[in-house]
Amino acid sequence: ETGVTQTPRHLVMGMTNKKSLKCEQHLGHNAMYWYKQSAKKPLELMFVYSLEERVENNSVPSRFSPECPNSSHLFLHLHTLQPEDSALYLCASSQTDGSGANVLTFGAGSRLTVL
Amino acid sequence: GQNIDQPTEMTATEGAIVQINCTYQTSGFNGLFWYQQHAGEAPTFLSYNVLDGLEEKGRFSSFLSRSKGYSYLLLKELQMKDSASYLCAGTDSNYQLIWGAGTKLIIKP
């Protein structure tokens, strides 16, 4: 256990479905992240919530929608996904003061398969 | 452009030593991370190098050369449990992480 918990661990959905991924951190961190991990590709940062600001990667399609109701919880809402969205979605958290590099603590990921 | 290169896969023998290389090109550079990720598990932090040189943590050591844009992770006395993917990530001038695609390390008895 890393202190970052993701549910569900596995999800299979059709292209017309709507589902959500959930992440919860018990570390008291003030920043949370969504990453996409595809086989043999670098981690792709999708969204960051840090110091109450949201930063997003402009290349992420609008069919992915994040929500961060408080500093401990993070959601990724999914709708009308495509088969190429099948990947491992990793949540991470860190403690940041807005400067310097931050060590990320990751969850074990949600494995998403889009049929 | 910004880029991190590391080998896709390496194989080593239990009890031996292996060196996983990582080269980087970033717009500005502040430091380099190594993470370990076992299959189906979360990536976990191994090291963060800012200064040139070798930093040792038990069986694992990490090296950085800022002038050469190069780092390596050295694993000694390999154990079967070291079979995992090793992720290299550089931080640019804004401390944004630039990730490599990871090196899958296979340990054979």
Side-chain angles (χ1 to χ4, degrees), chain A residues 12 30-31 35-37 39 43 46-47 57 60 63 73 86-87 105 107 109 112 114:
Chain A
V12 179
N30 61 3
Y35 277 93
K36 177 182 179 181
Q37 187 175 37
L43 288 181
M46 301 177 73
F47 302 101
N57 180 343
V60 176
R63 55 187 182 267
H73 294 86
S86 298
T105 302
L112 173 66
V114 182

Side-chain angles (χ1 to χ4, degrees), chain B residues 27-92:
Chain B
S27 55
F29 175 79
N30 280 298
L32 193 128
F33 284 95
W34 284 97
Y35 283 79
Q36 179 191 58
Q37 185 179 21
H38 286 102
E41 297 184 14
T44 56
F45 169 75
L46 289 177
S47 63
Y48 180 56
N49 292 61
V50 175
L51 302 177
D52 285 356
L54 187 68
E55 293 190 7
E56 299 185 56
K57 286 184 183 179
R59 295 188 300 112
F60 290 17
S61 301
S62 56
F63 172 84
L64 178 66
S65 169
R66 296 176 70 107
S67 62
K68 295 182 179 179
Y70 167 68
S71 172
Y72 66 73
L73 184 69
L74 190 70
L75 290 73
K76 301 178 183 177
E77 301 169 16
L78 285 170
Q79 302 175 10
M80 297 304 292
K81 68 179 182 179
D82 297 329
S83 291
S85 288
Y86 292 86
L87 310 179
C88 170
T91 54
D92 67 12

Side-chain angles (χ1 to χ4, degrees), chain A:
Chain A
E1 283 296 330
T2 64
V4 179
T5 303
Q6 291 188 242
T7 54
R9 293 294 310 277
H10 299 274
L11 178 63
V12 179
M13 57 188 289
M15 289 191 286
T16 58
N17 292 158
K18 290 184 180 181
K19 297 285 185 183
S20 296
L21 306 181
K22 179 183 176 181
C23 177
E24 183 174 0
Q25 59 100 356
H26 308 276
L27 302 168
H29 287 167
N30 61 3
M32 295 189 78
Y33 310 74
W34 279 117
Y35 277 93
K36 177 182 179 181
Q37 187 175 37
S38 302
K40 300 185 179 181
K41 291 186 177 179
L43 288 181
E44 177 186 349
L45 179 64
M46 301 177 73
F47 302 101
V48 182
Y49 283 85
S50 177
L51 301 173
E52 300 186 7
E53 283 189 9
R54 173 175 136 182
V55 178
E56 56 191 85
N57 180 343
N58 291 329
S59 68
V60 176
S62 59
R63 55 187 182 267
F64 294 91
S65 174
E67 178 188 1
C68 191
N70 54 60
S71 61
S72 299
H73 294 86
L74 184 65
F75 295 89
L76 187 63
H77 303 301
L78 318 169
H79 64 96
T80 325
L81 293 191
Q82 303 298 310
E84 61 264 29
D85 298 322
S86 298
L88 182 67
Y89 289 85
L90 291 167
C91 174
S93 69
S94 70
Q95 183 62 26
T96 180
D97 62 1
S99 65
N102 306 304
V103 175
L104 299 178
T105 302
F106 286 89
S110 293
R111 172 70 62 186
L112 173 66
T113 302
V114 182
L115 301 176

